[in-house]
Amino acid sequence: MAFFTHHICRGLSSSAVRHVVIKNVTIIGGGQMGAGIAQVAASTGHAVTLVDTNEDILKKAVKGIEGNLKRVVKKKFADKPEAGEEFLQKAMQNVSISTDAGSVVQGTDLVVEAIVENLKVKQDLFGGLDKVAPAHTIFASNTSSLSITDIASSTSRLDRFGGLHFFNPVPVMRLVEVIATSSTSQETFDSLLNFSKMLGKTSVSCKDTPGFIVNRLLLPYILDAVRMYERGDGSKEDIDIAMKLGCGYPMGPFELSDYVGLDTMKFIMDGWSAANPDNPMFAQSEVLNKLVAEGKFGKKTGEGFYKYK
Ligand code: CAA
């Protein structure tokens, strides 16, 4: 097709990879995940526009990105402060912000969505962007638990739609799950794999199944830990220590829950529990429901399973 001629690279490897070269990236959602993806994309030379409906969230995200990059520069360029300053300036120049997704997608190669874990909201967003984005633009969702096929169904670009699932904190976690639906084209899949590589990440792929690989295994484990605590089998402190020292995990399940966000965890579990009402693995947790109802979402609100200063 004509629109691919300027964008597709051929013969990059012996397996004849064809992919869209992604230079301009639009990231929708200025929360922890969106800001983290923006940071990594900007520091690997991509022109990034971070979009949110709330200007204050965007300003906070940019401040956070700058603070994180300064930390990176201090360590990586300890002996070369001038090179570090240049890297920081370049990366920050690569980041712009907008509250108008419709206008920025007109110049973008890839849209990565990292907004609330709600199917209808994601479908509405992508359905609207589909009408204004150029034909070559690839859409990707960073959903933690929803079906990419369901999200893509509100668009007419099923072949240019896939999943790109990052992990928190994005600048540190080395994995990206790259998901193709039954309609995703090989070019799109290869483009997403190549983009992940350009970000310095290692990618894995799996079928478009709820939670992909990591969350499908991680969330039931965390919920089992919460149930142990609810039954009084062990304190949350001891369960955390046990999993850190007994398994070498960097965080115990309660620390990790607070880090990911209890609201996010509840969104995921509610969806799975509605889809699988008879599966005890996805049963509701009273403690989790109570904390979320009280607005105690974890580290970001100052309290979750633990209190933060
Ligand atoms: N940006 C850049 N660098 C960061 C950073 C950020 N936001 N946060 C931490 N870092 C860096 C630090 O600078 C430090 O770098 P060096 O090793 O080079 O000094 C390194 O990461 C370690 O950070 P800290 O020393 O501050 O703290 P730590 O050693 O306690 O590590 C942690 C913090 C990386 C978060 C670690 O505890 C960890 O790996 N926890 C597990 C996280 C995890 O499992 N994430 C996946 C969650 S599941 C998910 O995200 C999927 C979903 O859909 C819900």
Side-chain angles (χ1 to χ4, degrees):
M1 279 194 276
F3 65 80
F4 271 137
T5 51
H6 297 299
H7 297 279
I8 291 178
C9 291
R10 287 167 196 269
L12 290 183
S13 76
S14 54
S15 57
V17 175
R18 290 153 47 98
H19 61 256
V20 176
V21 174
I22 292 164
K23 288 198 172 303
N24 291 286
V25 187
T26 298
I27 294 160
I28 318 271
Q32 293 186 108
M33 297 305 287
I37 301 165
Q39 178 181 325
V40 176
S43 53
T44 49
H46 299 85
V48 177
T49 308
L50 187 59
V51 178
D52 202 289
T53 49
N54 183 322
E55 185 116 21
D56 290 340
I57 289 180
L58 287 171
K59 285 182 185 154
K60 197 175 152 208
V62 170
K63 217 172 150 196
I65 291 171
E66 190 167 16
N68 281 333
L69 284 175
K70 280 184 177 161
R71 236 174 10 157
V72 171
V73 162
K74 219 172 168 181
K75 271 180 287 176
K76 278 201 177 163
F77 295 89
D79 302 335
K80 298 178 197 155
E82 277 173 19
E85 188 54 32
E86 196 186 329
F87 169 82
L88 177 67
Q89 294 304 328
K90 269 193 185 161
M92 290 313 293
Q93 278 164 15
N94 282 338
V95 182
S96 48
I97 54 172
S98 173
T99 52
D100 182 6
S103 67
V104 298
V105 293
Q106 287 168 24
T108 206
D109 303 312
L110 172 69
V111 175
V112 182
E113 163 274 313
I115 62 169
V116 65
E117 200 64 355
N118 177 301
L119 179 61
K120 171 89 171 60
V121 177
K122 288 183 196 284
Q123 284 175 332
D124 287 350
L125 170 77
F126 278 120
L129 295 182
D130 188 40
K131 295 185 177 71
V132 287
H136 81 276
T137 306
I138 294 174
F139 287 179
S141 174
N142 179 56
T143 180
S144 305
S145 62
L146 301 171
S147 148
I148 301 294
T149 306
D150 289 349
I151 300 171
S153 67
S154 63
T155 74
S156 59
R157 61 182 76 211
L158 303 185
D159 56 330
R160 282 150 288 149
F161 207 117
L164 264 187
H165 186 222
F166 293 83
F167 297 85
N168 193 16
V170 180
V172 180
M173 294 290 132
R174 290 162 54 205
L175 186 72
V176 180
E177 290 173 319
V178 181
I179 310 302
T181 70
S182 57
S183 305
T184 307
S185 70
Q186 189 62 46
E187 284 87 350
T188 298
F189 184 61
D190 288 343
S191 303
L192 295 176
L193 286 178
N194 190 61
F195 177 63
S196 307
K197 197 171 160 191
M198 291 294 127
L199 299 186
K201 303 292 184 192
T202 297
S203 48
V204 293
S205 57
C206 78
K207 282 190 181 166
D208 182 22
T209 52
F212 313 131
I213 297 174
V214 173
N215 280 343
R216 178 60 184 77
L217 297 175
L218 182 65
L219 269 290
Y221 147 72
I222 289 180
L223 257 288
D224 247 1
V226 176
R227 289 190 195 103
M228 279 190 86
Y229 166 60
E230 282 175 332
R231 288 194 302 269
D233 294 349
S235 70
K236 53 185 190 288
E237 291 81 4
D238 278 354
I239 296 170
D240 275 346
I241 290 170
M243 296 313 290
K244 283 190 287 188
L245 303 190
C247 290
Y249 291 0
M251 288 175 164
F254 297 94
E255 291 169 327
L256 185 55
S257 301
D258 279 356
Y259 192 70
V260 166
L262 304 190
D263 52 337
T264 303
M265 294 221 327
K266 183 166 160 55
F267 267 125
I268 298 174
M269 291 314 293
D270 281 354
W272 290 354
S273 134
N276 306 275
D278 300 325
N279 189 339
M281 202 182 274
F282 305 127
Q284 291 285 324
S285 153
E286 255 180 57
V287 169
L288 180 64
N289 287 347
K290 184 169 179 291
L291 288 171
V292 172
E294 290 168 356
K296 295 173 182 166
F297 297 165
K299 225 172 163 188
K300 62 187 165 190
T301 58
E303 187 171 349
F305 285 109
Y306 296 109
K307 284 190 177 154
Y308 303 85
K309 272 185 269 166

